């Protein structure tokens, strides 16, 4: 385990400039590990400060779960945290003696990430040093040109001075589809620490959303109590597809879609090409999706803004259920819950919600009729917030208000350049504030899974140590 909380906001050990990484989940952890590695290789004294409000350094929201039924949604061969070494995770699991069918438990993956950070910390010391702080960063300001950033912390601690700040703050928590009265029976963020603690009382549970989060929640609450029945509601009622088993040996790989190379792109043409590729490889649509996925950020940037909006409105839900697939073990569990009448999946729009200390009632509109559902609990299991300007907390909201950052044109996240440098209100990419992972959803679309995060962390560390005028020494080429 890395040396957690060895740094206090007012006394950070080590020499050299400071990079403060805000958010200790997978994005922050991998950015920290890559920076430590790069700085040590370049013999660049550096202090890396990893700040997480929940103290979940090395884990974040996805990998702090303690439920063994919560599995990774990609096979181990695609979840290596080190780009260029796809076998790294599988070798780690073997060395740890972890038996698995290709899909590791997410809590094990949390150990893997934490171990990676600990290893980077050990190898980099004393040239580059890591401090972990548990605190909520509520503001970031630059007192003057060329001056370090000043990060304000909730509760009066700090501030932390940093030459560079990296926003690794994850997805913004989802909003409710309609006004929901605040109360103990509404769980607004199921991944907040302890959020599910009361939900195992055997009362029925309504989950908003039918994606991967819903599947995790349904397994967790039905595991906790054999009486629990779940109603999952989304507008389309679509469930994520199941991962196919291992490819048949000797099966020819699906080639990249050639017509997508270069030039301006329209959504209609893209959809046509993808459908045609899937039709040419019947039974292998999963490979078509997987071949397409690494190209998505580049394709996304070639689409006009109107086409991006159309994609979000019309196609995103279909892309998501095909792209974010579930392990066969999860699909089997969900099928059994449905067959036993313990999980009901409904399509419809939640148009009203009410409740008090004893339970909740939601009204679901579908095909011209409205049905009322009563339950003990209502859990929001939908995806990330759709508008950063409405959902940003004090830190991101403050950056937007001060003009140090601006939203991307779709307002899904922050605007940033190819290196992750946050673009300010005047349209200029600065050299002090960077972002990676989910906050870049609007500029890259596919940016939330480990494959993308790991590549971004590596590229960001390379940029900061070898190119950034704030950190890099002339001639440095680590
Ligand atoms: C339940 C779930 C399961 C997933 N499963 C997979 C999977 O199997 N495979 C895959 O590739 N991807 C998966 N993902 C996608 C996931 O987004 C990424 O893998 C990754 O975990 C994202 O990490 P992150 O660090 O960007 O965000 P997070 O894990 O959300 O971490 C962000 C951290 O920043 C902290 N923070 C935010 N704001 C502040 C602030 N102002 N001050 C201090 N701290 C702050 C938060 O408290 C949080 O701990 C899953 C996601 C979820 C939610």
């Amino acid at each position: 385990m890395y040396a957690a909380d060895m740094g206090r906001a007012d006394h950070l050990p080590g020499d050299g400039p400071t990079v403060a990484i805000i958010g200790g989940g997978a994005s922050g952890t991998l950015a920290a590990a890559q920076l430590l590695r790069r700085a040590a290789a370049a013999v660049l004294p550096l202090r890396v400060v990893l700040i997480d409000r929940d103290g979940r350094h090395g884990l974040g929201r996805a990998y702090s779960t303690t439920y063994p039924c919560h599995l990774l949604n990609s096979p181990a061969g695609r979840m290596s945290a080190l780009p260029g070494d796809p076998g790294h995770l599988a070798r780690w699991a073997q060395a740890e003696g972890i038996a698995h069918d290709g899909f590791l438990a997410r809590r094990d993956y949390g150990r893997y990430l934490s171990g990676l950070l600990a290893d980077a910390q050990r190898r980099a010391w004393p040239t580059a040093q890591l401090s972990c702080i548990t605190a909520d960063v509520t503001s970031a300001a630059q007192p003057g040109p060329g001056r370090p950033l000043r990060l304000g912390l909730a509760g009066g601690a700090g501030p932390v001075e940093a030459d560079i700040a990296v926003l690794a703050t994850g997805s913004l928590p989802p909003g409710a589809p309609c006004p929901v009265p605040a109360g103990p029976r509404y769980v607004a963020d199921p991944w907040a620490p302890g959020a599910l603690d009361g939900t195992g009382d055997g009362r029925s549970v309504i989950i908003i959303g039918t994606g991967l989060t819903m599947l995790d929640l349904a397994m967790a609450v039905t595991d906790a109590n054999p009486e629990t029945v779940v109603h999952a509601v989304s507008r389309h009622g679509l469930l994520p597809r199941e991962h196919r088993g291992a490819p048949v040996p000797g099966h020819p790989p699906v080639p990249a879609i050639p017509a997508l190379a270069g030039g301006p792109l329209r959504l209609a043409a893209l959809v046509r090409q993808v459908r045609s590729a899937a039709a040419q490889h019947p039974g292998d649509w999963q490979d078509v999706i997987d071949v397409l996925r690494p190209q998505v950020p580049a394709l996304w940037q070639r689409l006009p803004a109107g086409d991006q909006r159309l994609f979000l409105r019309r196609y995103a839900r279909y892309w998501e259920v095909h792209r974010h697939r579930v392990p066969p073990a999860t699909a089997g569990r969900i099928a059994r819950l449905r067959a036993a009448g313990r999980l009901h999946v409904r399509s419809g729009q939640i148009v009203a919600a009410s409740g008090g200390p004893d339970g909740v009632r939601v009204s679901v509109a579908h095909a011209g009729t409205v049905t009322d559902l009563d339950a003990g609990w209502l859990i929001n299991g939908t995806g990330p917030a759709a508008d950063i300007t409405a959902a940003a907390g004090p830190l991101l909201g403050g950056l937007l208000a001060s003009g140090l950052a601006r939203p991307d044109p779709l307002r899904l996240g922050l605007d940033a350049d190819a290196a992750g440098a946050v673009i300010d209100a005047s349209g200029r990419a600065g050299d002090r504030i960077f972002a990676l992972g989910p906050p870049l959803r609007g500029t890259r679309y596919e940016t939330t899974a480990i494959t993308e995060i790991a590549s971004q962390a590596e590229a960001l560390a390379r940029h900061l140590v070898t190119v950034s005028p704030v950190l890099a020494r002339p001639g440095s080429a680590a």
Side-chain angles (χ1 to χ4, degrees):
M1 197 39 98
Y2 51 87
D5 278 332
M6 59 181 266
R8 292 195 352 248
D10 52 355
H11 176 75
L12 299 172
D15 297 321
T18 300
V19 177
I21 301 174
I22 305 165
S27 299
T29 298
L30 293 180
Q34 291 286 358
L35 265 173
L36 291 167
R37 267 191 55 214
R38 289 259 166 200
V43 200
L44 174 75
L46 188 68
R47 302 192 304 186
V48 179
V49 188
L50 188 60
I51 312 173
D52 190 87
R53 69 156 71 98
D54 298 317
R56 301 197 289 200
H57 307 85
L59 305 171
R61 286 152 64 86
Y63 310 113
S64 51
T65 176
T66 54
Y67 293 94
C69 61
H70 287 168
L71 304 178
L72 294 178
N73 57 35
S74 294
R78 293 198 204 136
M79 287 290 294
S80 167
L82 298 183
D85 186 0
H88 188 258
L89 172 62
R91 290 198 307 278
W92 174 86
Q94 193 175 22
E96 292 286 310
I98 299 172
H100 62 93
D101 62 356
F103 295 88
L104 289 166
R106 289 213 303 273
R107 62 183 187 177
D108 286 329
Y109 196 77
R111 284 205 294 126
Y112 166 68
L113 285 180
S114 306
L116 205 85
L117 183 58
D119 188 54
Q121 180 185 24
R122 201 173 47 247
R123 288 170 190 263
W125 197 88
T127 307
Q129 299 191 24
L130 174 71
S131 310
C132 294
I133 296 176
T134 297
D136 190 4
V137 181
T138 50
S139 64
Q142 190 166 15
R147 301 269 309 277
L149 297 161
R150 180 169 278 224
L151 307 181
L153 309 182
V160 170
E161 293 221 328
D163 299 278
I164 301 270
V166 176
L167 303 170
T169 47
S171 296
L172 292 169
C178 67
V180 178
R185 301 247 156 210
Y186 174 54
V187 179
D189 178 3
W191 305 120
L196 301 181
D197 282 355
T199 57
D201 59 359
R203 303 278 309 277
S204 55
V205 176
I206 299 169
I207 300 176
I208 312 170
T210 59
L212 288 173
T213 295
M214 182 282 282
L215 302 184
D216 278 353
L217 294 173
M219 289 189 292
V221 297
T222 52
D223 260 3
N225 194 308
E227 302 293 319
T228 303
V229 172
V230 174
H231 300 270
V233 186
S234 73
R235 266 176 301 160
H236 46 79
L238 294 171
L239 295 181
R241 301 297 196 264
E242 177 182 341
H243 271 290
R244 178 190 63 192
V248 182
H251 201 74
V254 170
I257 304 169
L260 296 181
L265 185 66
R266 296 305 305 261
L267 183 61
L270 176 56
V271 170
R272 221 176 17 252
Q273 294 293 336
V274 174
R275 283 191 173 139
S276 150
Q280 282 166 35
H281 301 277
D284 286 341
W285 64 263
Q286 304 205 1
D287 293 346
V288 174
I289 298 286
D290 293 346
V291 165
L292 189 61
R293 184 178 147 189
Q295 303 177 55
V296 167
L299 294 172
W300 182 251
Q301 284 158 12
R302 284 166 53 200
L303 287 175
D307 281 15
Q308 292 177 337
R309 285 196 189 90
L310 181 63
F311 173 83
L312 294 176
R313 237 184 7 256
R314 192 177 294 169
Y315 297 103
R317 69 195 66 158
Y318 298 102
W319 171 255
E320 302 300 338
V321 295
H322 289 87
R323 137 92 181 79
H324 297 285
R325 303 187 292 272
V326 290
T330 303
R333 282 281 308 275
I334 293 300
R336 287 195 293 281
L337 285 174
R338 295 183 79 180
R342 298 188 66 200
L343 169 61
H344 304 275
V345 178
R346 293 168 177 267
S347 358
Q349 180 150 14
I350 296 184
V351 289
S354 57
D358 296 329
V360 291
R361 166 171 288 189
V362 302
S363 305
V364 182
H366 180 62
T369 56
V370 175
T371 311
D372 287 337
L373 290 175
D374 291 306
W377 298 92
L378 177 63
I379 307 180
N380 193 338
T382 54
D387 183 348
I388 189 174
T389 60
L395 173 64
L396 299 186
L399 285 170
L400 294 173
S402 69
L404 282 173
R406 72 177 185 185
D408 64 69
L410 299 178
R411 299 181 169 215
L412 295 177
L414 295 171
D415 207 358
D417 73 4
V422 167
I423 295 178
D424 67 18
S426 72
R428 186 182 148 269
D431 53 15
R432 299 228 173 224
I433 307 179
F434 292 79
L436 83 162
L440 301 183
R441 197 163 144 245
T443 56
R444 306 184 181 199
Y445 195 71
E446 284 295 346
T447 183
T448 57
I450 289 296
T451 324
E452 291 91 23
I453 289 171
S455 306
Q456 288 177 26
E458 187 188 50
L460 177 62
R462 191 182 327 118
H463 176 83
L464 292 182
V465 171
T466 63
V467 179
S468 152
V470 180
L471 295 192
R473 284 190 305 229
S476 164

